[in-house]
């Protein structure tokens, strides 16, 4: 579920410090203190399997000490609105997903594959009943009125940051782009309506994806845009929507899915961190997105984030339709480096990367630039998409226009063996030039995750760590952990680049 990139506000450092302190503190706790800590924190006690004070405190203390920093960080990340979800996982415990503790140690590799095997014949043909007063509704996204209903629901009720300062505002053009790639299925946009008013109060969507996890390609779906009206929260409607989209996918013979989220559920196959590169620093400061560091001044920040007016790479130009084949070939070879990635055919590459010139500029969703060498060969490309967030509280600005780094590839990364320094230099040049375009198109901030080879350029390009994480989940598929590009202290890990080659909108 695409993010949930809680738009970061640069609190990463404080959180890291707190986690380190906590880790040191746990080491010094007595058994009695551990028991007290677990009593105060039933979710943690549950995860450690000690129950509410009735377990063995010595064993619990040992289990607590064995928690690594990443796990503690994850626990910290799930503060505020996520606290409830750290409880018993009553729903997720019934689903074919891996459990915490399963295959966690590096020497305990699990056999990768489906968790539960079913046939289409076993799948119910009808949806589960809803509470009285609500009914299922398949949403026709080709109908502008229904597309607008989805937009309205998401615009008012979709993902917010922890302090409810920003909320994603997916435009109708981005919704169409994200939800209607080649092969989209009209049944996979499922809504819940209030029977009387007909108002759309819940939504979930899926799109097909050929997903490679290491050496196996899964005929899977990508689930996204789970949203429930704020007035209907905490009524266990989310599990109903999740089970319904599962049923609809199963009916099409699709039994595996990928989804992402900012909250911790059993059990991430990978965790990436969000990074943010300010472009319009004064605006980001005014809306409360970027802090002013205590040793800095606004003019220093503005200078720090200045972006050149011109690009530097020779042969860089906007992608055109004639480039689709070359870009698909390059992207396919580049994505093969990663443990998990989608397999895109030409139609999909055209859909995801080529801007439709017929669209007005305000409807442009994706920007892709290729590098064409002197022999007319496409050697590199880089892309980003636009996703605005609404500023929720009182502010002189109503929105933040964010560019999200999307896919990229370069021949330099495909040399055998790879010249790491050359790859690093090339990726820095590509990202730096894409920043020039982001600035030209008036984006306020450029966001990227710690996935792919991003650790090679994020710091140099002045992306700062945010407070959001993005957890990757696989439904009905057991897989060994995949590196998310961050180390156990939640810091970029240029030594162990990410195995994630899949982005989710
Ligand atoms: C996410 C959302 C649909 C959950 O609804 P809710 O009313 O808070 O929760 P419900 O009472 O219906 O269901 C709770 C169950 O759903 C699970 N759940 C909550 N959010 C989830 C998510 N994003 N993905 C999967 N499961 C989720 C919980 O873990 C819990 O199951 P558990 O008992 O096994 O832990 C709702 O909070 C929402 O619309 N939030 C804003 C949009 C959003 O964050 N969407 C998800 C993007 S990843």
């Amino acid at each position: 579920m695409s993010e949930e990139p809680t738009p970061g506000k640069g609190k990463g450092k404080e959180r890291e410090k707190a986690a380190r302190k906590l880790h040191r503190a746990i080491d010094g706790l007595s058994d009695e203190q551990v028991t007290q800590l677990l009593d105060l924190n039933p979710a943690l006690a549950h995860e450690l399997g000690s129950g509410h004070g009735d377990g063995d405190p010595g064993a619990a203390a040992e289990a607590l000490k064995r928690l690594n920093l990443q796990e503690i960080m994850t626990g910290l990340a799930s503060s505020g609105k996520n606290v409830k979800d750290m409880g018993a996982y009553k729903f997720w415990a019934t689903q074919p997903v891996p459990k915490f503790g399963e295959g966690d140690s590096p020497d305990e590799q699990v056999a990768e594959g489906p968790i539960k095997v079913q046939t289409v014949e076993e799948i119910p043909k009808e949806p589960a009943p809803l509470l009285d007063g609500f009914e299922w509704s398949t949403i026709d996204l080709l109908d502008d009125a229904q597309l607008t209903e989805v937009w309205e629901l998401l615009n008012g009720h979709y993902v917010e940051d922890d302090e409810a300062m920003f909320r994603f505002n997916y435009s109708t053009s981005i919704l169409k782009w994200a939800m209607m790639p080649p092969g989209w299925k009209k049944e996979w946009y499922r809504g819940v309506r209030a029977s009387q008013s007909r108002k759309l109060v819940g939504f979930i969507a899926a799109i097909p994806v050929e997903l490679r996890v290491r050496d196996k390609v899964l005929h899977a779906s990508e689930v996204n845009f789970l949203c429930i009206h704020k007035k209907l929260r905490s009524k266990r409607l989310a599990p109903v929507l999740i089970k319904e989209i599962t049923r609809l996918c199963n009916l099409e013979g699709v039994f595996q899915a990928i989804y992402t989220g900012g909250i911790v559920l059993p059990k991430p196959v990978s965790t990436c961190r969000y990074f943010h590169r300010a472009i319009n620093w004064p605006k980001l400061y005014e809306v409360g997105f970027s802090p002013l560091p205590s040793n800095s001044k606004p003019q220093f920040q503005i200078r720090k984030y200045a972006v050149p007016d011109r690009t530097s790479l020779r042969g860089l130009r906007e992608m055109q339709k004639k480039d689709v084949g070359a870009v698909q070939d390059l992207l396919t070879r580049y994505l093969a480096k990663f443990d998990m990635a989608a397999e895109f055919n030409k139609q999909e590459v055209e859909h995801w990367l080529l801007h439709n010139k017929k669209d007005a500029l305000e409807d442009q969703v994706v920007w892709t630039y290729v590098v064409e060498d002197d022999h007319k060969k496409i050697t590199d490309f880089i892309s980003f998409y636009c996703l605005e967030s609404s500023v929720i509280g009182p502010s002189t600005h109503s929105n933040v226009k964010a560019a999200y780094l999307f896919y990229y590839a370069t021949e330099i990364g495909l040399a055998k063996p790879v010249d790491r320094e050359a790859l690093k230099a090339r990726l820095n040049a590509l990202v730096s030039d894409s920043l020039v375009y982001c600035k030209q198109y008036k984006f306020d901030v450029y966001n990227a995750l710690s996935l792919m080879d991003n650790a090679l350029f994020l710091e140099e390009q002045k992306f700062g760590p945010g407070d959001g994480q993005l957890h990757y989940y696989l439904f009905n598929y057991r897989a060994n952990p995949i590196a998310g590009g961050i180390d156990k202290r939640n810091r970029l890990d240029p030594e162990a680049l990410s195995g994630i080659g899949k982005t989710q909108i």
Side-chain angles (χ1 to χ4, degrees), residues 283-395:
K283 178 172 171 185
L284 296 178
Y285 178 61
E286 280 160 32
V287 299
F289 186 92
S290 297
L292 176 63
S294 54
N295 56 352
S296 187
K297 291 185 176 158
Q299 63 266 37
F300 296 162
Q301 296 299 104
I302 293 169
R303 207 174 311 144
K304 174 176 173 187
Y305 292 118
V307 174
D309 291 331
R310 287 164 177 261
T311 58
S312 63
L313 279 168
R314 186 182 145 99
L316 185 74
R317 61 164 173 80
E318 216 176 317
M319 179 182 174
Q320 297 167 16
K321 181 143 187 184
K322 64 175 184 183
D323 304 318
V324 167
V327 168
Q328 190 248 353
D329 173 62
L330 180 60
L331 177 63
T332 302
R333 286 182 290 124
Y334 204 80
L335 290 182
K337 303 198 314 173
F338 302 99
D339 291 334
M340 182 161 82
E343 306 232 304
F344 294 120
N345 62 29
K346 286 204 181 69
Q347 289 73 27
E348 287 164 329
V349 164
E350 179 167 344
H351 173 86
W352 291 119
L353 297 177
L354 189 68
H355 162 55
N356 186 349
K357 290 276 189 223
K358 280 187 267 152
D359 289 342
L361 180 59
E362 65 262 26
D363 293 327
Q364 180 161 2
V365 172
V366 65
W367 282 254
T368 304
Y369 298 90
V370 297
V371 178
E372 182 177 338
D373 73 7
D374 295 344
H375 310 285
K376 304 250 170 270
K377 183 177 171 212
I378 302 298
T379 55
D380 318 70
F381 83 88
I382 185 158
S383 60
F384 54 85
Y385 63 88
C386 169
L387 171 54
E388 295 191 1
S389 282
S390 310
V391 178
I392 303 174
S395 172

Side-chain angles (χ1 to χ4, degrees), residues 1-4 81-82 84-94 154 157-160 203 223-230 232-242 259-266 470 473:
M1 348 237 124
S2 181
E3 176 194 97
E4 303 42 30
K81 66 179 177 174
N82 294 332
K84 186 192 81 63
D85 302 320
M86 287 304 288
Y89 297 113
K90 284 199 184 68
F91 165 64
W92 282 107
T94 67
L154 298 178
H157 307 270
Y158 200 47
V159 178
E160 298 174 4
F203 184 71
V223 175
N224 205 347
F225 300 112
L226 166 63
C227 185
I228 292 172
H229 192 288
K230 287 187 172 183
L232 289 174
R233 296 277 170 88
S234 302
K235 297 187 189 309
R236 313 300 298 177
L237 191 52
V240 180
L241 278 164
I242 294 166
Y259 50 106
T260 56
I263 67 163
V264 181
L265 302 165
L470 189 66
Y473 299 99

